Amino acid sequence: STKPKGAKRPKGAKTRQPSLVLPQRSMVRGAMWVGIFVTLILGIVFSGLGRVNSAEDMRLGYQQLSETQRQQDALLAEHSRLLLERAALSSLQNIEQIAQSELHMEFPEEIGEVLQ
């Protein structure tokens, strides 16, 4: 409270000295809020960077998956072709033809007795 000029203090009243503690407390509080604010901003920045990194990893994973699926499709097509080729080569008619042309084998006209 402010007293008018010229008013006398009552006898025995102590004079109040300015407190130095209050400005220090407000400085500590202000520094604390700045620290909290900076921590929050850094948290948001690092969280965003983590999100970007995670999205990039996901994109690379999908690219690798797509490439692997293309390779699988190509290998399945080759496997199917090889199965067909093996089935064609293993037919009795083809075996007989290869035996005659490449190995010069002839089917005997008379089947004789097999001796042991």
Side-chain angles (χ1 to χ4, degrees):
S1 70
T2 59
K3 293 184 179 183
K5 284 186 175 183
K8 293 186 178 181
R9 244 181 280 154
K11 194 174 186 181
K14 295 183 179 179
T15 59
R16 188 172 179 194
Q17 294 183 1
S19 174
L20 298 177
V21 176
L22 288 178
Q24 289 175 352
R25 280 187 183 171
S26 66
M27 282 180 58
V28 170
R29 282 186 182 154
M32 183 179 72
W33 283 113
V34 168
I36 291 172
F37 181 74
V38 168
T39 302
L40 287 175
I41 293 298
L42 288 175
I44 290 169
V45 167
F46 284 118
S47 174
L49 291 175
R51 174 95 171 149
V52 168
N53 190 28
S54 175
E56 179 68 13
D57 288 345
M58 185 67 71
R59 187 184 65 78
L60 290 175
Y62 277 126
Q63 281 181 343
Q64 290 174 349
L65 176 65
S66 178
E67 179 61 30
T68 303
Q69 285 177 336
R70 278 194 291 270
Q71 290 174 353
Q72 180 188 16
D73 291 344
L75 290 172
L76 282 174
E78 183 180 2
H79 179 69
S80 297
R81 183 186 59 78
L82 290 173
L83 285 176
L84 287 172
E85 187 177 333
R86 184 179 75 176
L89 289 174
S90 66
S91 71
L92 291 177
Q93 184 181 17
N94 196 30
I95 292 174
E96 186 178 345
Q97 182 183 5
I98 291 172
Q100 288 175 355
S101 64
E102 294 180 18
L103 302 175
H104 305 293
M105 296 176 75
E106 296 287 331
F107 194 78
E109 294 189 23
E110 287 184 27
I111 299 176
E113 189 176 326
V114 178
L115 301 173
Q116 291 184 353

